[in-house]
Amino acid sequence: QAQLVESGGGSVQAGGSLRLSCVGSGRTFSIDAVGWFRQVPGTEREFVAGLSGSGGTTYYSDSVKGRFTISRDSAKNILYLQMNSLQPEDTSVYYCITGNSLQQLKTGGFTSWGQGTQVTVSS
């Protein structure tokens, strides 16, 4: 199983921006569907962004669409989530994930994930 390590979280004011990074092993981000979900402890997770293995299809939840952008650098095996216009409601722990398809990620069928990185947005 791939091991993923997230970074880039922190505390920002509403309206600010952060870029999360996720480092994988091997060629994970070149051949697998990849994405991000967020979860407040004690609540259900929310799949917020995904990218197909081919790189041709993206997904964003309604809550982040237009504000977040998912991308990857396959050569360096790094996945990114650019988060702009952050709102207090975005406060959560963010996790990067991989799976066999974007559809599987969307339905919770991911096969690997990282330790999470905390994002806190103040009003």
Side-chain angles (χ1 to χ4, degrees):
Q1 297 294 321
Q3 295 187 3
L4 312 176
V5 181
E6 303 98 334
S7 63
S11 298
V12 298
Q13 293 179 305
S17 298
L18 287 172
R19 187 179 72 165
L20 306 184
S21 300
C22 176
V23 180
S25 61
R27 301 178 68 86
T28 300
F29 299 149
S30 298
I31 61 177
D32 293 343
V34 295
W36 297 85
F37 76 85
R38 63 189 183 187
Q39 186 172 32
V40 176
T43 71
E44 295 184 359
R45 64 175 179 257
E46 178 187 13
F47 182 56
V48 297
L51 183 66
S52 65
S54 68
T57 305
T58 57
Y59 167 85
Y60 298 98
S61 68
D62 290 341
S63 61
V64 309
K65 193 171 186 177
R67 301 186 298 116
F68 290 10
T69 303
I70 186 172
S71 63
R72 63 184 165 195
D73 184 334
S74 295
K76 297 182 179 180
N77 212 32
I78 302 176
L79 177 68
Y80 299 102
L81 185 67
Q82 177 67 45
M83 306 186 296
N84 298 327
S85 301
L86 284 163
Q87 303 169 5
E89 293 75 23
D90 296 316
T91 295
S92 187
V93 178
Y94 286 72
Y95 301 84
C96 63
I97 53 176
T98 69
N100 292 328
S101 70
L102 184 57
Q103 181 63 28
Q104 288 190 13
L105 295 183
K106 188 176 181 179
T107 58
F110 50 87
T111 56
S112 62
W113 61 92
Q115 83 287 351
T117 185
Q118 176 72 48
V119 172
T120 302
V121 185
S122 60
S123 60

